[in-house]
Amino acid sequence: MNSKLKIGIIDYGVGNTYSIFNALSYLNYSKVLITDNEREIETMDALIFPGVGAFDEACNQLAKRQLVSVLNEQVLVKKKPILGICLGMQLFAKSSDENGLHEGLNWIPGKVKKIDTNNQFPVPHVGWNDINIEKDEPLFKNNTDHVHFYFDHSYHFECDSKFISSWCDYGTKITASVQKDNIFGVQFHPEKSHISGLKLFRSFLSSI
């Protein structure tokens, strides 16, 4: 394990930042910084992009803190590894239907849409759900298929299957995680998923 890895948790006012910080500290990563500072973000080896709340407010906060250009530079040009969590993952999409139509970062082709379970299950989707793993590497190399993670969302990321590394069944097929090159995202909350979540953080960071 590279405990000297410099990890930046992006702070844009709508993230579960301290829970993630505590999880990484528990895993003995000592150089973890919660930041919205462009210069600090540029010095990081890996980024974590949390998110809780509504898509439009998240977009407003990213614009307000002038974070879009530095994130585009670090992720798309410098190819820095990034892990998006819940709303953080959804912001990778081209657009979202939540509270009207809003443009995302457009890093992974796809759209964020309201979950439709045909009234089989309640929305929001809250609680533990097992996932079906399509790609072990790198996020799930320490977890087994049908492992449980904690979800809390009303919207989900619809995209081409080639970008989906895992999914769950909730009356409809819900994208549980995505990956494209150096860009990774999970719909669930690893920081709330106990040992399974810690294993996922370790898998992501040890792959760098």
Side-chain angles (χ1 to χ4, degrees):
M1 183 195 82
N2 182 4
S3 60
K4 302 301 183 189
L5 209 61
K6 293 174 74 175
I7 305 162
I9 301 172
I10 305 299
D11 178 16
Y12 58 109
V14 296
N16 201 12
T17 52
Y18 287 100
S19 295
I20 297 165
F21 180 90
N22 291 337
L24 299 181
S25 297
Y26 180 82
L27 291 170
N28 293 320
Y29 289 99
S30 57
K31 296 187 175 183
V32 183
L33 189 65
I34 297 171
T35 181
D36 65 355
N37 181 278
E38 181 175 346
R39 298 287 169 260
E40 290 175 343
I41 291 169
E42 289 172 346
T43 67
M44 296 298 143
D45 299 309
L47 302 173
I48 294 181
F49 194 48
V52 176
F55 194 98
D56 54 338
E57 177 59 18
C59 291
N60 291 339
Q61 289 296 325
L62 286 174
K64 182 179 178 181
R65 299 181 188 220
Q66 300 180 319
L67 285 168
V68 175
S69 59
V70 65
L71 289 172
N72 280 334
E73 171 75 14
Q74 295 302 303
V75 175
L76 301 181
V77 180
K78 304 289 187 184
K79 299 295 182 184
K80 192 164 287 183
I82 187 167
L83 176 65
I85 296 173
C86 196
L87 176 60
M89 178 188 92
Q90 293 181 2
L91 286 164
F92 295 168
K94 185 177 189 301
S95 64
S96 171
D97 291 345
E98 186 176 5
N99 298 329
L101 183 64
H102 302 279
E103 294 297 311
L105 292 166
N106 197 21
W107 290 350
I108 296 179
K111 294 182 178 181
V112 176
K113 296 185 176 182
K114 184 77 177 281
I115 297 171
D116 181 5
T117 72
N118 293 317
N119 297 318
Q120 287 181 272
F121 299 103
V123 176
H125 171 210
V126 180
W128 294 84
N129 206 312
D130 64 342
I131 64 167
N132 300 274
I133 298 171
E134 299 289 351
K135 299 173 185 174
D136 292 328
E137 296 287 342
L139 292 185
F140 301 108
K141 62 184 179 184
N142 291 323
N143 280 306
T144 58
D145 200 14
H146 304 300
V147 63
H148 274 57
F149 287 100
Y150 186 82
F151 289 80
D152 186 355
H153 63 120
S154 298
Y155 288 76
H156 67 125
F157 192 166
E158 293 186 355
C159 64
D160 192 294
S161 61
K162 68 183 177 183
F163 301 122
I164 297 174
S165 55
S166 72
W167 56 278
C168 72
D169 185 353
Y170 191 68
T172 186
K173 193 171 182 178
I174 288 176
T175 301
S177 60
V178 295
Q179 61 187 64
K180 180 190 177 193
D181 304 324
N182 54 305
I183 303 167
F184 304 89
V186 293
Q187 181 60 67
F188 49 81
H189 287 275
E191 77 281 7
K192 296 180 181 179
S193 297
H194 308 320
I195 189 69
S196 299
L198 293 173
K199 285 180 175 181
L200 184 132
F201 280 131
R202 174 82 82 215
S203 297
F204 170 66
L205 294 168
S206 66
S207 72
I208 297 166

